[in-house]
Amino acid sequence: MILRHPLNDAPVLVAVDTESEKRGLINHVVEVGVTILRVRDIWNLEPGPHLRNWIPKMKHFHVVLDITRRPKLRMRSSLFGPSQFLGPIEAQAAVKKVLRDCMGIHDQQPVTGSATQLSLPPVYLVGHSVEGDVAALRGPGVRLDISDPATVGVRFHKLFDTYMFSQAIQGYGAPLPTAKLGWAVRYLGVDPTYVDPDIHGTVIGTHNAVNDAAYTMMTLCFYALRWEELSNGVVLEPTSATSPRNTRASASNSAEVSAPHNIAQSKRRKGSRGRFISAWTRP
């Protein structure tokens, strides 16, 4: 039996990825990809083979900055919807709007911590080496600090770093040769339509920001569904977005954290869907 939680508390998962080009000695962000998955949209919905029932529930956003040297290639390589070609200032505003819209903020007002914020769903930031993408967004190109609620208008409650989870399962003995995104999502069971059989099974379209954001979200979903199997029972939990992180800690240790009560309960229930849904709800 699946323990139900109020849908108003069901989080919004936001996967972010960036691509950069070097100008002189400095990297400039030239692509931003965002994939959004509302947990309420997959409530009571079986994932299906290779997540085929959940992938249509994901929403994608792709911006290519006009400072890139390869605009047509970057836009043509997007597998998940159309691209926007924008200048840096317009790109910054567009990313802010996407993040605010994902949680129902349309008035462009910053998060203030007022009582009205309590009705908004929690937002979890997802990435494959997510801190690198957050740092890149602060730098030349977009110049947007998405970790600052006063700047972007959204407060991320938790972080999920799929790169660290991939390193962790390597430590648990999974036959994953590298923690890179393409290898991880293919190992976990990405839909074969995203795999090129002529290039040694390479996942198609990696190193495009929106493709990688989508693959990162798929990777997180696979880990949530299969984590107990892959980790020998170690509990999957996000990192607090407000607590300092020990970047020197091993990937295995980063996953070995005490479980909130609702996640601990999910391990006793049968059915992967129940484990997934409860893992995203507030403790």
Side-chain angles (χ1 to χ4, degrees), residues 94-115:
V95 173
K96 283 184 181 180
K97 185 177 187 303
V98 167
L99 295 178
R100 289 169 177 166
D101 287 354
C102 82
M103 58 184 297
I105 299 175
H106 303 285
D107 59 5
Q108 303 299 306
Q109 295 299 316
V111 171
T112 62
S114 65

PDB file of all heavy atoms in Angstrom, residues 94-115:
ATOM      1  N   ALA A  94      15.277  35.130 -18.915  1.00  0.00           N
ATOM      2  CA  ALA A  94      14.528  33.934 -19.306  1.00  0.00           C
ATOM      3  C   ALA A  94      14.713  32.805 -18.303  1.00  0.00           C
ATOM      4  O   ALA A  94      13.760  32.093 -17.965  1.00  0.00           O
ATOM      5  CB  ALA A  94      14.966  33.485 -20.698  1.00  0.00           C
ATOM      6  N   VAL A  95      15.936  32.619 -17.813  1.00  0.00           N
ATOM      7  CA  VAL A  95      16.183  31.572 -16.819  1.00  0.00           C
ATOM      8  C   VAL A  95      15.427  31.882 -15.532  1.00  0.00           C
ATOM      9  O   VAL A  95      14.804  31.000 -14.924  1.00  0.00           O
ATOM     10  CB  VAL A  95      17.693  31.422 -16.548  1.00  0.00           C
ATOM     11  CG1 VAL A  95      17.936  30.448 -15.396  1.00  0.00           C
ATOM     12  CG2 VAL A  95      18.414  30.932 -17.798  1.00  0.00           C
ATOM     13  N   LYS A  96      15.459  33.135 -15.102  1.00  0.00           N
ATOM     14  CA  LYS A  96      14.698  33.521 -13.909  1.00  0.00           C
ATOM     15  C   LYS A  96      13.219  33.197 -14.075  1.00  0.00           C
ATOM     16  O   LYS A  96      12.570  32.667 -13.171  1.00  0.00           O
ATOM     17  CB  LYS A  96      14.855  35.020 -13.644  1.00  0.00           C
ATOM     18  CG  LYS A  96      16.168  35.448 -13.028  1.00  0.00           C
ATOM     19  CD  LYS A  96      16.107  36.943 -12.743  1.00  0.00           C
ATOM     20  CE  LYS A  96      17.389  37.462 -12.141  1.00  0.00           C
ATOM     21  NZ  LYS A  96      17.309  38.919 -11.865  1.00  0.00           N
ATOM     22  N   LYS A  97      12.672  33.527 -15.231  1.00  0.00           N
ATOM     23  CA  LYS A  97      11.244  33.309 -15.464  1.00  0.00           C
ATOM     24  C   LYS A  97      10.897  31.826 -15.422  1.00  0.00           C
ATOM     25  O   LYS A  97       9.874  31.427 -14.844  1.00  0.00           O
ATOM     26  CB  LYS A  97      10.827  33.908 -16.799  1.00  0.00           C
ATOM     27  CG  LYS A  97       9.322  33.818 -17.068  1.00  0.00           C
ATOM     28  CD  LYS A  97       8.947  34.481 -18.370  1.00  0.00           C
ATOM     29  CE  LYS A  97       7.425  34.534 -18.535  1.00  0.00           C
ATOM     30  NZ  LYS A  97       6.791  33.208 -18.456  1.00  0.00           N
ATOM     31  N   VAL A  98      11.733  30.991 -16.031  1.00  0.00           N
ATOM     32  CA  VAL A  98      11.474  29.552 -16.025  1.00  0.00           C
ATOM     33  C   VAL A  98      11.464  29.015 -14.598  1.00  0.00           C
ATOM     34  O   VAL A  98      10.589  28.234 -14.213  1.00  0.00           O
ATOM     35  CB  VAL A  98      12.526  28.813 -16.875  1.00  0.00           C
ATOM     36  CG1 VAL A  98      12.481  27.312 -16.622  1.00  0.00           C
ATOM     37  CG2 VAL A  98      12.289  29.090 -18.350  1.00  0.00           C
ATOM     38  N   LEU A  99      12.424  29.446 -13.786  1.00  0.00           N
ATOM     39  CA  LEU A  99      12.499  28.960 -12.412  1.00  0.00           C
ATOM     40  C   LEU A  99      11.301  29.433 -11.594  1.00  0.00           C
ATOM     41  O   LEU A  99      10.739  28.674 -10.798  1.00  0.00           O
ATOM     42  CB  LEU A  99      13.804  29.420 -11.766  1.00  0.00           C
ATOM     43  CG  LEU A  99      15.089  28.847 -12.378  1.00  0.00           C
ATOM     44  CD1 LEU A  99      16.314  29.421 -11.684  1.00  0.00           C
ATOM     45  CD2 LEU A  99      15.103  27.326 -12.302  1.00  0.00           C
ATOM     46  N   ARG A 100      10.894  30.674 -11.778  1.00  0.00           N
ATOM     47  CA  ARG A 100       9.747  31.180 -11.024  1.00  0.00           C
ATOM     48  C   ARG A 100       8.452  30.534 -11.482  1.00  0.00           C
ATOM     49  O   ARG A 100       7.594  30.186 -10.674  1.00  0.00           O
ATOM     50  CB  ARG A 100       9.670  32.698 -11.169  1.00  0.00           C
ATOM     51  CG  ARG A 100      10.780  33.404 -10.407  1.00  0.00           C
ATOM     52  CD  ARG A 100      10.869  34.865 -10.764  1.00  0.00           C
ATOM     53  NE  ARG A 100      11.896  35.527  -9.961  1.00  0.00           N
ATOM     54  CZ  ARG A 100      12.394  36.722 -10.221  1.00  0.00           C
ATOM     55  NH1 ARG A 100      11.956  37.393 -11.265  1.00  0.00           N
ATOM     56  NH2 ARG A 100      13.316  37.246  -9.444  1.00  0.00           N
ATOM     57  N   ASP A 101       8.309  30.359 -12.795  1.00  0.00           N
ATOM     58  CA  ASP A 101       7.084  29.759 -13.311  1.00  0.00           C
ATOM     59  C   ASP A 101       6.912  28.319 -12.848  1.00  0.00           C
ATOM     60  O   ASP A 101       5.788  27.839 -12.685  1.00  0.00           O
ATOM     61  CB  ASP A 101       7.073  29.800 -14.839  1.00  0.00           C
ATOM     62  CG  ASP A 101       6.832  31.198 -15.387  1.00  0.00           C
ATOM     63  OD1 ASP A 101       6.562  32.110 -14.576  1.00  0.00           O
ATOM     64  OD2 ASP A 101       6.924  31.378 -16.617  1.00  0.00           O
ATOM     65  N   CYS A 102       8.025  27.611 -12.623  1.00  0.00           N
ATOM     66  CA  CYS A 102       7.922  26.197 -12.260  1.00  0.00           C
ATOM     67  C   CYS A 102       7.236  26.009 -10.918  1.00  0.00           C
ATOM     68  O   CYS A 102       6.682  24.949 -10.642  1.00  0.00           O
ATOM     69  CB  CYS A 102       9.302  25.536 -12.256  1.00  0.00           C
ATOM     70  SG  CYS A 102      10.276  25.777 -10.752  1.00  0.00           S
ATOM     71  N   MET A 103       7.261  27.031 -10.067  1.00  0.00           N
ATOM     72  CA  MET A 103       6.610  26.906  -8.763  1.00  0.00           C
ATOM     73  C   MET A 103       5.433  27.855  -8.612  1.00  0.00           C
ATOM     74  O   MET A 103       4.943  28.097  -7.515  1.00  0.00           O
ATOM     75  CB  MET A 103       7.621  27.129  -7.645  1.00  0.00           C
ATOM     76  CG  MET A 103       8.323  28.458  -7.664  1.00  0.00           C
ATOM     77  SD  MET A 103       9.582  28.608  -6.365  1.00  0.00           S
ATOM     78  CE  MET A 103       8.589  28.475  -4.894  1.00  0.00           C
ATOM     79  N   GLY A 104       4.974  28.417  -9.742  1.00  0.00           N
ATOM     80  CA  GLY A 104       3.773  29.226  -9.712  1.00  0.00           C
ATOM     81  C   GLY A 104       3.997  30.680  -9.397  1.00  0.00           C
ATOM     82  O   GLY A 104       3.068  31.386  -9.001  1.00  0.00           O
ATOM     83  N   ILE A 105       5.231  31.172  -9.564  1.00  0.00           N
ATOM     84  CA  ILE A 105       5.512  32.591  -9.342  1.00  0.00           C
ATOM     85  C   ILE A 105       5.537  33.280 -10.696  1.00  0.00           C
ATOM     86  O   ILE A 105       6.363  32.981 -11.539  1.00  0.00           O
ATOM     87  CB  ILE A 105       6.867  32.793  -8.631  1.00  0.00           C
ATOM     88  CG1 ILE A 105       6.846  32.118  -7.271  1.00  0.00           C
ATOM     89  CG2 ILE A 105       7.181  34.275  -8.483  1.00  0.00           C
ATOM     90  CD1 ILE A 105       8.167  32.169  -6.554  1.00  0.00           C
ATOM     91  N   HIS A 106       4.623  34.208 -10.916  1.00  0.00           N
ATOM     92  CA  HIS A 106       4.538  34.876 -12.211  1.00  0.00           C
ATOM     93  C   HIS A 106       4.672  36.387 -12.100  1.00  0.00           C
ATOM     94  O   HIS A 106       4.623  37.088 -13.100  1.00  0.00           O
ATOM     95  CB  HIS A 106       3.194  34.561 -12.878  1.00  0.00           C
ATOM     96  CG  HIS A 106       2.951  33.098 -13.042  1.00  0.00           C
ATOM     97  ND1 HIS A 106       3.587  32.335 -13.994  1.00  0.00           N
ATOM     98  CD2 HIS A 106       2.158  32.243 -12.338  1.00  0.00           C
ATOM     99  CE1 HIS A 106       3.179  31.073 -13.897  1.00  0.00           C
ATOM    100  NE2 HIS A 106       2.323  30.995 -12.900  1.00  0.00           N
ATOM    101  N   ASP A 107       4.829  36.891 -10.876  1.00  0.00           N
ATOM    102  CA  ASP A 107       4.813  38.348 -10.708  1.00  0.00           C
ATOM    103  C   ASP A 107       6.199  38.959 -10.623  1.00  0.00           C
ATOM    104  O   ASP A 107       6.347  40.139 -10.341  1.00  0.00           O
ATOM    105  CB  ASP A 107       4.013  38.733  -9.461  1.00  0.00           C
ATOM    106  CG  ASP A 107       4.586  38.100  -8.190  1.00  0.00           C
ATOM    107  OD1 ASP A 107       5.644  37.446  -8.281  1.00  0.00           O
ATOM    108  OD2 ASP A 107       3.970  38.282  -7.124  1.00  0.00           O
ATOM    109  N   GLN A 108       7.254  38.110 -10.826  1.00  0.00           N
ATOM    110  CA  GLN A 108       8.636  38.582 -10.829  1.00  0.00           C
ATOM    111  C   GLN A 108       9.082  39.150  -9.487  1.00  0.00           C
ATOM    112  O   GLN A 108      10.042  39.901  -9.414  1.00  0.00           O
ATOM    113  CB  GLN A 108       8.850  39.644 -11.922  1.00  0.00           C
ATOM    114  CG  GLN A 108       8.497  39.164 -13.315  1.00  0.00           C
ATOM    115  CD  GLN A 108       9.352  37.992 -13.742  1.00  0.00           C
ATOM    116  OE1 GLN A 108      10.571  38.064 -13.699  1.00  0.00           O
ATOM    117  NE2 GLN A 108       8.745  36.905 -14.151  1.00  0.00           N
ATOM    118  N   GLN A 109       8.377  38.814  -8.401  1.00  0.00           N
ATOM    119  CA  GLN A 109       8.779  39.298  -7.091  1.00  0.00           C
ATOM    120  C   GLN A 109       9.733  38.309  -6.445  1.00  0.00           C
ATOM    121  O   GLN A 109       9.555  37.099  -6.553  1.00  0.00           O
ATOM    122  CB  GLN A 109       7.547  39.477  -6.185  1.00  0.00           C
ATOM    123  CG  GLN A 109       6.596  40.554  -6.686  1.00  0.00           C
ATOM    124  CD  GLN A 109       7.266  41.908  -6.739  1.00  0.00           C
ATOM    125  OE1 GLN A 109       7.966  42.287  -5.805  1.00  0.00           O
ATOM    126  NE2 GLN A 109       7.068  42.634  -7.833  1.00  0.00           N
ATOM    127  N   PRO A 110      10.767  38.773  -5.742  1.00  0.00           N
ATOM    128  CA  PRO A 110      11.704  37.858  -5.098  1.00  0.00           C
ATOM    129  C   PRO A 110      11.069  37.139  -3.930  1.00  0.00           C
ATOM    130  O   PRO A 110      10.075  37.579  -3.365  1.00  0.00           O
ATOM    131  CB  PRO A 110      12.830  38.788  -4.610  1.00  0.00           C
ATOM    132  CG  PRO A 110      12.170  40.115  -4.444  1.00  0.00           C
ATOM    133  CD  PRO A 110      11.118  40.186  -5.520  1.00  0.00           C
ATOM    134  N   VAL A 111      11.682  36.002  -3.574  1.00  0.00           N
ATOM    135  CA  VAL A 111      11.226  35.256  -2.406  1.00  0.00           C
ATOM    136  C   VAL A 111      11.526  36.067  -1.161  1.00  0.00           C
ATOM    137  O   VAL A 111      12.636  36.546  -0.962  1.00  0.00           O
ATOM    138  CB  VAL A 111      11.941  33.891  -2.332  1.00  0.00           C
ATOM    139  CG1 VAL A 111      11.635  33.212  -1.004  1.00  0.00           C
ATOM    140  CG2 VAL A 111      11.508  33.014  -3.492  1.00  0.00           C
ATOM    141  N   THR A 112      10.535  36.248  -0.316  1.00  0.00           N
ATOM    142  CA  THR A 112      10.716  37.080   0.868  1.00  0.00           C
ATOM    143  C   THR A 112      10.646  36.301   2.159  1.00  0.00           C
ATOM    144  O   THR A 112      10.948  36.821   3.218  1.00  0.00           O
ATOM    145  CB  THR A 112       9.634  38.177   0.906  1.00  0.00           C
ATOM    146  OG1 THR A 112       8.355  37.546   1.001  1.00  0.00           O
ATOM    147  CG2 THR A 112       9.697  39.036  -0.352  1.00  0.00           C
ATOM    148  N   GLY A 113      10.196  35.041   2.095  1.00  0.00           N
ATOM    149  CA  GLY A 113      10.047  34.265   3.312  1.00  0.00           C
ATOM    150  C   GLY A 113       8.766  34.580   4.054  1.00  0.00           C
ATOM    151  O   GLY A 113       8.601  34.209   5.210  1.00  0.00           O
ATOM    152  N   SER A 114       7.833  35.267   3.412  1.00  0.00           N
ATOM    153  CA  SER A 114       6.577  35.612   4.058  1.00  0.00           C
ATOM    154  C   SER A 114       5.696  34.385   4.174  1.00  0.00           C
ATOM    155  O   SER A 114       5.962  33.336   3.593  1.00  0.00           O
ATOM    156  CB  SER A 114       5.858  36.687   3.246  1.00  0.00           C
ATOM    157  OG  SER A 114       5.492  36.175   1.985  1.00  0.00           O
ATOM    158  N   ALA A 115       4.592  34.543   4.912  1.00  0.00           N
ATOM    159  CA  ALA A 115       3.704  33.410   5.157  1.00  0.00           C
ATOM    160  C   ALA A 115       3.109  32.869   3.873  1.00  0.00           C
ATOM    161  O   ALA A 115       2.793  31.691   3.771  1.00  0.00           O
ATOM    162  CB  ALA A 115       2.588  33.831   6.110  1.00  0.00           C
TER     163      ALA A 115
END
